[in-house]
Amino acid sequence: PDEEADGPQPLTSHQRRKQALKQQIEEVEDELLAEKTWALRGEVLAGDRPEDALLQMDVDVDRRDFVAPEVTEEVTQQLEDIIKERIKKREWDDVVAVSHEDRLVSRREGDEDDDALGDKSKAGLGEVYEKAYLEATGQSKDEQEPLKKEISLIMKDISHKIDSLSSLFYKPPPPEMAMRQIEDEEKD
């Protein structure tokens, strides 16, 4: 009871920091809500700013200009070394079209890396795997053909049976594609 009668208690350091922060926030809010000068409002019409106000302003414009490198003996020496190396390799600035045959010849000679050419494989990934499988099993593609034809016929038959079971209307079997070789008769 006696403590309340003594008057206001002294603020703790935390309370003082909190009060100072609150005051600082209020000042920043007041500044942000205050009326801005014409230069800070974005696009402003001529009637909204004083006459000749742009002439009195010091305007900084950011420009992205190419800055020339500083010419030193070291930079000059590096450029000369690059030029000498290109002359030795006979690499000129003119663009010369290189044919595919020339690239293959230079690859055989070992002038370029295989990765640098960027040539794509002509075979698809499935063909590569098929070839590796056939080599591993010792089979050839010719041995696979009769099996493929038999599997194809079985799949057609199964597909037709499923279609007829799942449809209310009868569907005749698909026509067979027969390949016949017709020989031309020689005319005398």
Side-chain angles (χ1 to χ4, degrees), residues 127 130 134 139-146 148:
E127 294 169 348
E130 179 184 17
L134 291 175
Q139 298 178 358
S140 68
K141 273 195 166 185
D142 297 335
E143 295 172 11
Q144 298 283 326
E145 288 302 320
K148 287 183 180 179

Side-chain angles (χ1 to χ4, degrees), residues 15-165:
Q15 290 173 333
R16 284 193 300 267
R17 273 185 277 152
K18 192 173 176 182
Q19 195 175 29
L21 186 61
K22 186 177 180 182
Q23 184 179 356
Q24 188 178 9
I25 290 172
E26 287 176 1
E27 290 173 3
V28 170
E29 285 177 346
D30 291 342
E31 182 182 326
L32 290 174
L33 294 175
E35 184 70 25
K36 305 277 189 278
T37 63
W38 69 270
L40 298 176
R41 276 192 256 153
E43 294 185 22
V44 178
L45 299 174
D48 295 341
R49 61 178 165 78
E51 189 174 329
D52 294 335
L54 282 177
L55 297 174
Q56 298 165 358
M57 278 191 71
D58 184 25
V59 180
D60 290 329
V61 179
D62 293 334
R63 295 178 62 192
R64 301 206 184 273
D65 290 335
F66 175 74
V67 179
E70 194 173 318
V71 180
T72 62
E73 284 189 35
E74 184 179 321
V75 172
T76 305
Q77 187 61 41
Q78 287 176 348
L79 284 175
E80 286 179 4
D81 291 343
I82 292 171
I83 292 169
K84 288 177 185 177
E85 188 66 32
R86 290 187 69 187
I87 290 172
K88 286 179 188 175
K89 290 182 178 180
R90 303 187 62 80
E91 293 177 357
W92 316 116
D93 283 341
D94 355 336
V95 177
V96 179
V98 179
S99 68
H100 185 67
E101 291 81 23
D102 293 341
R103 294 168 87 194
L104 291 175
V105 168
S106 66
R107 181 191 292 178
R108 284 189 212 115
E109 293 173 358
D111 291 345
E112 298 182 52
D113 294 337
D114 290 342
D115 296 338
L117 290 173
D119 290 339
K120 292 185 177 179
S121 174
K122 302 289 185 237
L125 193 56
E127 294 169 348
V128 171
Y129 286 151
E130 179 184 17
K131 183 178 177 185
Y133 174 76
L134 291 175
E135 288 175 1
T137 58
Q139 298 178 358
S140 68
K141 273 195 166 185
D142 297 335
E143 295 172 11
Q144 298 283 326
E145 288 302 320
L147 292 173
K148 287 183 180 179
K149 287 181 181 178
E150 184 181 348
I151 291 171
S152 176
L153 289 173
I154 293 171
M155 283 303 297
K156 283 182 184 177
D157 186 43
I158 291 172
S159 180
H160 172 67
K161 288 177 181 177
I162 290 174
D163 285 345
S164 63
L165 287 174

